[in-house]
Amino acid sequence: MRVLVVEDEVRLADNLAAALREGPGFAVDCAEDGEVGEQLARQGCYDLIILDLMLPKVDGLTVLRHMRSRDNSTPVLILTAKDGTASTIELLNAGADDYLSKPFDLGELIARAKALIRRGKGASHPVFAIADIEVNTLEQTVRRAGRVIDLSPTEYRILEYMVHRPRVIVSKRELLEHLYDYNWEHHSNVIEAHISNLRKKLMADSDQQPVETLRGRGYRLVADLEGAG
Amino acid sequence: MKRHSLSRRLISSVLLIELIFAVAVIALAAAYERHAQLRSFDIMLEGRADSLLGAVQDAEDPADNVMLDRTGLQLPAEDVYEVRDSGGRLLGGSANWQGPDPGETDSTGDHIYWTRINGRHYRVLTLHGLRVVDPDDKGGGKPRHVLVVYGAPTAQVWHQIRNAIVFFSLSNFVLLLVTGVLMAWLLHRGLAPMRELATEAERISIHRWSFQPPDSAVETRELAPLASALSAAMQRLETSFSQQRRFVSDAAHELKTAVAVVKSSLQLLAMRQRTTEEYAAGIEVSLVDCERMEEIVARMLTLARAEHLTTGQQSAGPSDLAAAAASIAQQFDSMAELRWVTLKFTADGPALVPLSGEECALLCSNLLLNALQHSPPRTEVKMSVQTELNSVELRIEDHGDGVDPALLPHVFERFSRGDPSRSRNTGGTGLGLAICKAIVDKAGGAIVLESVPGHGAAAIVRLPVANSAAGTESIESSLQTTPSA
């Protein structure tokens, strides 16, 4: 999952990015002002945007309104140092999905970020069960038929992204966009290598491959395996 | 404290005056009534005495005497009388009287006197009359001198006078009553604008500062000054209050963000088990974050103090701005060197300004720090103090990027977003220039920031020379123009 943090207080943005990378293993980009934030958000490759309200150049509320007016439906979590009912109502009406008052708890921020990403993809439970595969996004563990499968962080992130979009063809480009931030040198063959490893690990004890490869188009998580369950 | 009512005071004053007049009127009326009543009483006495005189007849005896013929006389039973001839012989008298007091009849002239007869007050007339008895056709007849003494009880007169007094008293009392009620009603109506003003003033609260004086008060000549004074005072209070509220809100925002940084740094450190080096680095970062927070708090307090002093009365100082600037320039020399910036300071002699030494230092250090923070390496920062006729100019120039013209009007605001140091994270708090402005305002001077984007900025402070109030106004007006890029 890839998150955009728009926050002018650089130290806070750094801490947020570090926590989101270390905790749920998200890819994180940071923007220091509203203008850059809006440009980045326009690319549409984010699964969540964390937006500060008081920003140089363009303030957070304006960024949010512009985004929503362009039909960008990426979940937005607002960070605000002002609390008051009026501004809360204004924020939610402008299209914010959630908000946190500063100073916030990092653990709470991560939990809310995960919940927003989940809901943004149409899921409500943090534990996904596709056929006999169970992905627990809280513990970041994967089981197949009850047996724990040990995945590398990148393999896990690929699978996590795919369980959020079952039965949909996910292209290599989409995976690259949503799993890596701008700090990474990325090439599509990186994805291929990780997918290959993931497929091997999932097939260790089973005879049916849940990750389907569609040549030239991408990958798909098959939801209904024959004889599964 | 005892409260008193204006209306009640007015009404009682008017009623008191009216009462005094009423008493005077009653006294005058009583005196006049007494005079008039006694006059008519006396005329009545004379009339009755005359009728007695007419009743004196020839006695038809050889001695040629006269007698009192009482037939046909109709006199009130309580009246007393006595008739004597010139010889002092009693011709007749009322049965209920022993006769006039001796001495009262001695004088030859007519006169009236008071007396008591049988325990009642009487007014008695003594009349020396001339009666011509038996006038016959020949025109003869004998003139006879007769003394008639006639008295009548005065109870009736006094009764009349008392009635008149009672009538005047009653009518005056009714008049007082009507005046009181009427005045109370009129005052109640007349003071309505005052009550409306009070009602409107009562609605002022911490949450509602606006004061709209009611039309009735504005249109009342006596109340208009009060209404406009109240509304002006409220406006000033509201401005100052909203400024304070904005400051608190801004300060809360800054502090919450600073706390968020510290908290997130520590929570990030605690997210998982780390190596000793990672912990050490994390603690160091947290300490830097804490210092930043300390700096914000310290500057906020400085600003609050500077602004508080702005409203104070006496000006501090005087102190030498040139000396303070020189000392600050020396202090910042090493910092400038570290940044590869040349720092030049010039002054044309001592410059006394109405500020304390601490304020001079604060002003110079804030402006110089700002200039240094925005100076790229291998540039120059110039600081100069120049004394003119009755003002002192402090000028600090840098050759950095300058200030965005759109942000220029806001640079002196608290926590100004226009201070680029904040987003560059050079340690600025967005309060430095606000503190400078508060100090300069306090001294009655002016401060402007001139900027050419891409070429640098210059902060110009103009302060009046200490102990010379003149020129303050001209400084403010001469610095009104801010040259654009």
Side-chain angles (χ1 to χ4, degrees):
Chain A
M1 300 298 160
R2 188 165 173 185
V3 178
L4 173 63
V5 174
V6 190
E7 165 68 60
D8 65 325
E9 180 59 58
V10 180
R11 289 281 309 118
L12 188 59
D14 287 349
N15 283 346
L16 279 179
L20 289 170
R21 286 188 190 117
E22 278 191 18
F26 294 155
V28 184
D29 291 314
C30 293
E32 281 183 32
D33 63 54
E35 213 170 83
V36 176
E38 212 176 321
Q39 277 167 16
L40 288 176
R42 209 175 292 188
Q43 296 174 359
C45 56
Y46 294 102
D47 302 291
L48 172 70
I49 294 170
I50 298 178
L51 189 62
D52 184 29
L53 272 191
M54 274 177 81
L55 290 169
K57 294 183 183 171
V58 186
D59 72 272
L61 198 61
T62 313
V63 172
L64 177 64
R65 290 210 170 105
H66 286 175
M67 269 177 61
R68 293 302 186 231
S69 70
R70 277 197 304 271
D71 284 338
N72 183 338
S73 60
T74 311
V76 171
L77 171 61
I78 298 279
L79 294 182
T80 166
K82 288 180 184 168
D83 32 27
T85 334
S87 88
T88 308
I89 292 170
E90 200 181 4
L91 286 176
L92 294 175
N93 284 344
D97 297 273
D98 203 351
Y99 80 97
L100 267 178
S101 292
K102 290 178 189 174
F104 46 80
D105 191 279
L106 265 189
E108 187 182 352
L109 179 107
I110 290 169
R112 283 183 192 253
K114 282 182 181 175
L116 284 174
I117 290 173
R118 235 170 24 232
R119 290 196 178 270
K121 310 230 177 278
S124 61
H125 201 268
V127 180
F128 292 79
I130 312 278
D132 59 347
I133 300 170
E134 186 193 271
V135 178
N136 186 329
T137 58
L138 294 184
E139 295 168 11
Q140 300 187 8
T141 54
V142 178
R143 287 164 205 263
R144 181 150 198 204
R147 199 175 53 81
V148 175
I149 296 171
D150 192 27
L151 296 179
S152 78
T154 314
E155 287 155 12
Y156 168 77
R157 280 191 277 156
I158 292 173
L159 185 62
E160 189 193 56
Y161 188 80
M162 290 180 77
V163 294
H164 278 98
R165 316 198 63 189
R167 296 187 205 88
V168 174
I169 299 169
V170 179
S171 70
K172 268 186 276 188
R173 184 183 161 71
E174 186 179 344
L175 283 174
L176 271 174
E177 273 182 358
H178 284 264
L179 300 182
Y180 294 93
D181 55 47
Y182 284 114
N183 296 330
W184 289 75
E185 285 276 331
H186 41 261
H187 306 284
S188 57
N189 55 0
V190 174
I191 294 288
E192 273 168 37
H194 285 302
I195 290 271
S196 158
N197 284 341
L198 177 64
R199 284 164 63 96
K200 262 184 227 156
K201 285 182 183 175
L202 287 173
M203 279 296 286
D205 234 11
S206 184
D207 53 352
Q208 288 206 358
Q209 178 52 259
V211 179
E212 204 180 357
T213 308
L214 300 142
R215 194 151 294 279
R217 295 169 70 193
Y219 309 96
R220 180 163 61 180
L221 192 64
V222 183
D224 35 356
L225 297 173
E226 282 168 42
Chain B
M1 201 177 78
K2 197 170 170 282
R3 296 172 75 178
H4 44 75
S5 154
L6 268 185
S7 320
R8 234 176 262 174
R9 278 190 162 187
L10 266 171
I11 293 172
S12 44
S13 309
V14 168
L15 289 188
L16 191 68
I17 292 168
E18 215 180 285
L19 187 70
I20 292 168
F21 275 111
V23 168
V25 163
I26 291 168
L28 274 175
Y32 173 77
E33 188 69 20
R34 180 181 177 274
H35 173 77
Q37 287 288 339
L38 283 182
R39 225 181 113 79
S40 60
F41 188 79
D42 292 349
I43 290 166
M44 181 206 79
L45 275 183
E46 269 171 41
R48 290 198 184 157
D50 276 342
S51 65
L52 265 182
L53 191 64
V56 173
Q57 301 287 336
D58 189 10
E60 312 274 356
D61 62 357
D64 198 21
N65 282 327
V66 287
M67 54 159 285
L68 190 66
D69 177 17
R70 262 177 273 194
T71 48
L73 267 181
Q74 288 200 336
L75 297 170
E78 69 268 23
D79 286 5
V80 294
Y81 60 88
E82 198 182 76
V83 184
R84 289 177 187 269
D85 66 6
S86 50
R89 194 174 57 88
L90 180 69
L91 297 180
S94 56
N96 52 0
W97 197 29
Q98 270 68 49
D101 304 335
E104 292 292 347
T105 52
D106 292 352
S107 65
T108 44
D110 298 345
H111 80 280
I112 292 170
Y113 71 97
W114 296 94
T115 186
R116 280 175 80 87
I117 298 163
N118 301 328
R120 293 175 74 186
H121 287 283
Y122 272 75
R123 195 167 163 81
V124 181
L125 167 76
T126 52
L127 179 76
H128 295 272
L130 182 69
R131 170 70 175 157
V132 181
V133 181
D134 270 348
D136 49 23
D137 301 333
K138 290 169 276 180
K142 295 166 191 158
R144 305 273 180 160
H145 286 281
V146 179
L147 170 70
V148 179
V149 182
Y150 194 94
T154 51
Q156 186 60 32
V157 174
W158 294 123
H159 182 72
Q160 291 288 343
I161 294 171
R162 206 163 43 242
N163 271 357
I165 290 173
V166 167
F167 168 76
F168 278 115
S169 303
L170 268 179
S171 51
N172 269 299
F173 176 73
V174 170
L175 198 68
L176 278 174
L177 215 66
V178 170
T179 310
V181 170
L182 210 65
M183 263 192 84
W185 180 69
L186 282 174
L187 277 174
H188 183 81
R189 273 188 58 136
L191 290 179
M194 211 148 134
R195 276 195 304 279
E196 278 170 39
L197 192 66
T199 312
E200 178 63 26
E202 249 171 33
R203 290 168 62 201
I204 299 166
S205 74
I206 298 229
H207 309 289
R208 186 183 173 282
W209 286 95
S210 74
F211 176 76
Q212 196 65 51
D215 292 344
S216 58
V218 177
E219 287 159 9
T220 310
R221 197 187 302 160
E222 288 86 350
L223 285 179
L226 176 65
S228 62
L230 261 175
S231 117
M234 280 304 135
Q235 225 152 31
R236 281 195 301 273
L237 269 177
E238 188 184 7
T239 312
S240 132
F241 191 76
S242 64
Q243 260 173 8
Q244 289 296 323
R245 190 144 51 183
R246 201 169 60 92
F247 176 68
V248 169
S249 148
D250 288 350
H253 180 267
E254 292 301 307
L255 282 177
K256 278 177 175 176
T257 305
V259 171
V261 170
V262 176
K263 192 172 172 183
S264 62
S265 293
L266 293 172
Q267 282 182 335
L268 183 64
L269 207 57
M271 255 173 84
R272 59 176 173 81
Q273 199 69 33
R274 290 172 197 276
T275 64
T276 319
E277 289 76 29
E278 279 178 321
Y279 278 127
I283 288 170
E284 206 172 303
V285 165
S286 295
L287 280 176
V288 173
D289 293 339
C290 280
E291 273 167 27
R292 170 90 202 283
M293 195 150 78
E294 246 180 83
E295 162 108 11
I296 292 176
V297 171
R299 292 208 153 212
M300 260 162 38
L301 290 178
T302 308
L303 176 62
R305 212 169 40 231
E307 291 202 332
H308 178 70
L309 287 172
T310 308
T311 52
Q313 59 287 38
Q314 77 262 48
S315 55
S319 50
D320 187 359
L321 183 67
S327 136
I328 292 295
Q330 210 168 5
Q331 279 177 33
F332 279 78
D333 220 28
S334 52
M335 182 187 168
E337 219 168 289
L338 272 176
R339 291 174 166 260
W340 294 83
V341 174
T342 322
L343 181 56
K344 271 191 185 170
F345 172 68
T346 52
D348 59 359
L352 289 181
V353 291
L355 286 172
S356 71
E358 193 193 343
E359 285 164 339
C360 283
L362 204 58
L363 179 65
C364 296
S365 64
N366 271 321
L367 290 176
L368 194 55
L369 183 68
N370 204 47
L372 285 175
Q373 277 171 347
H374 297 140
S375 289
R378 275 173 283 279
T379 57
E380 194 181 62
V381 169
K382 269 195 257 180
M383 174 149 100
S384 66
V385 178
Q386 279 185 328
T387 318
E388 280 159 33
L389 190 60
N390 48 16
S391 69
V392 175
E393 189 187 88
L394 168 71
R395 195 181 174 94
I396 295 169
E397 280 176 67
D398 68 57
H399 295 91
D401 295 338
V403 183
D404 185 348
L407 299 173
L408 208 51
H410 304 293
V411 288
F412 293 110
E413 287 174 10
R414 291 175 274 209
F415 303 112
S416 157
R417 292 273 128 183
D419 184 353
S421 64
R422 299 188 69 253
S423 48
R424 282 194 210 155
N425 214 31
T426 47
T429 52
L431 284 174
L433 288 176
I435 291 172
C436 291
K437 184 163 167 52
I439 292 172
V440 172
D441 282 351
K442 182 200 156 198
I447 181 167
V448 289
L449 197 67
E450 288 174 0
S451 156
V452 182
H455 290 89
I460 301 149
V461 176
R462 214 165 277 185
L463 291 166
V465 170
N467 301 330
S468 86
T472 309
E473 303 231 334
S474 63
I475 285 170
E476 276 177 5
S477 56
S478 70
L479 278 179
Q480 281 302 311
T481 46
T482 308
S484 58

